[in-house]
Amino acid sequence: MQPASQGIAAAPPAAGRPAVCLPQGVALEPLLAELRRLSWGAADILRAYGRGVQPPYGFPLALSVDDGGEGPVSAADLAVNQWLLDGFAAAFPSAAWTLLSEETAKEQIRAGVPLDAEWLWILDPLDGTKDFLQGTGEYAVHLALLQRGEPVLGVVLLPELEELWFGLVGAGAEAPGQAWRENRAGERFAPALSPRRALGELVLVASRNHRDQRLEQLLQALALGDTRAVGSVGGKVATILRGDADLYISLSGKSAPKDWDMAAPEAVLRAAGGAFSHADGRPLSYNDGDVRQAGCLIASHGPSHRLLCEAAAVALATIDPGFVV
């Protein structure tokens, strides 16, 4: 556990819950309560847009799509973004944190310049926008709180499954974290990571919309077991948390996922005892002046993580010798 320093208060843990350092004046339980309210409100907004019915909280009915350079942006993204930003501002008007959203990043970020923020929320109002627009139901909302670039708390909401995942990350490599899933009734369920260990029996969860020949070659070299296709990084990680899958691999360069795709799922997975890193073992880096999460990133249930990373690094050295994992 990191000691509390000036401007930082250690929030008292609930029964069986690890202590978490939060900004001065922010307590853990009120924060979790507000995150629940914001998350289920976001679920109601997204489900309304997805079904073509009047969204709650005064948002407009029309769903418009703008296929820009960063992919489809819909009225649903913008409505949830506004819901989250307004909610944080109203509930924590003096909290010493900065909010960065996918929808506001262009105005907030300059290339190569990290945000000047010890405490930073990274928000993705709608992860898996293509799946949302295609009607697969495999989309998510991501909320992650970072301290000095390190995830402290993560929230992954899966509206169509009525699942709300929380992760409190332990401070330090050996410190335990805690993760759990809630439904709307407030019932809590522990993660159920699978007992599979050998590479040949591991189940991969992959994307429908982001696959290329290099990834297919890597998967062939790893000789894994079964494969499942699921949209949204949050949705993929949730399959690992439930024990339905064991790993997810992101392999990309210039068109890489961004900080808001990875931060919350990483926090929840690590808090549950899983692992998320580059294939060479490097941790993911956030708010470093480049929002892209490029390279070979591997999320797993944990026990086979080192073996997976080593095998992927060896395979990629042959598949694409110049690729930086």
Side-chain angles (χ1 to χ4, degrees), residues 76-227:
D77 292 88
L78 302 178
V80 174
N81 183 67
Q82 195 63 49
W83 166 254
L84 295 174
L85 296 181
D86 290 350
F88 273 105
F92 305 101
S94 59
W97 56 41
T98 297
L99 275 69
L100 171 66
S101 166
E102 178 182 10
E103 305 304 336
T104 61
K106 288 184 179 180
E107 290 74 39
Q108 289 181 269
I109 293 178
R110 287 187 297 142
V113 182
L115 290 174
D116 183 14
E118 177 182 359
W119 293 96
L120 178 66
W121 280 101
I122 298 182
L123 313 177
D124 191 344
L126 179 50
D127 184 58
T129 307
K130 287 183 179 179
D131 278 274
F132 178 78
L133 295 171
Q134 291 165 1
T136 69
E138 295 172 355
Y139 59 91
V141 179
H142 297 168
L143 315 174
L145 177 61
L146 283 65
Q147 183 189 18
R148 303 187 191 97
E150 178 71 18
V152 171
L153 186 160
V155 180
V156 172
L157 167 72
L158 305 177
E160 298 297 336
L161 295 179
E162 296 260 302
E163 289 186 359
L164 182 58
W165 287 94
F166 287 95
L168 306 177
V169 183
E174 302 303 320
Q178 186 180 7
W180 70 95
R181 169 173 58 88
E182 296 185 7
N183 58 24
R184 282 193 188 247
E187 297 173 303
R188 298 183 184 181
F189 306 86
L193 304 180
S194 91
R196 295 179 287 268
R197 297 292 181 269
L199 294 191
E201 64 180 7
L202 298 184
V203 178
L204 172 82
V205 59
S207 174
R208 291 188 184 88
N209 296 312
H210 304 286
R211 301 184 68 154
D212 60 16
Q213 185 59 35
R214 183 173 51 189
L215 177 59
E216 297 295 345
Q217 289 178 282
L218 173 59
L219 298 181
Q220 184 175 9
L222 292 177
L224 301 169
D226 197 9
T227 299

Side-chain angles (χ1 to χ4, degrees), residues 1-2 150-151 168-177 266 269-275 281 283 306:
M1 170 53 60
Q2 287 177 278
E150 178 71 18
L168 306 177
V169 183
E174 302 303 320
E266 181 197 354
L269 183 59
R270 285 177 50 199
R306 179 177 293 183

Side-chain angles (χ1 to χ4, degrees), residues 11-12 22 25-37 91-92:
L22 295 171
V26 178
L28 180 59
E29 292 306 321
L31 175 58
L32 293 177
E34 182 61 17
L35 291 172
R36 291 184 186 100
R37 187 188 75 83
F92 305 101

Side-chain angles (χ1 to χ4, degrees), residues 40-63:
W40 292 122
D44 292 337
I45 295 168
L46 290 170
R47 285 165 64 93
Y49 276 114
R51 288 155 175 75
V53 300
Q54 180 62 50
Y57 314 115
F59 291 106
L61 176 61
L63 177 64

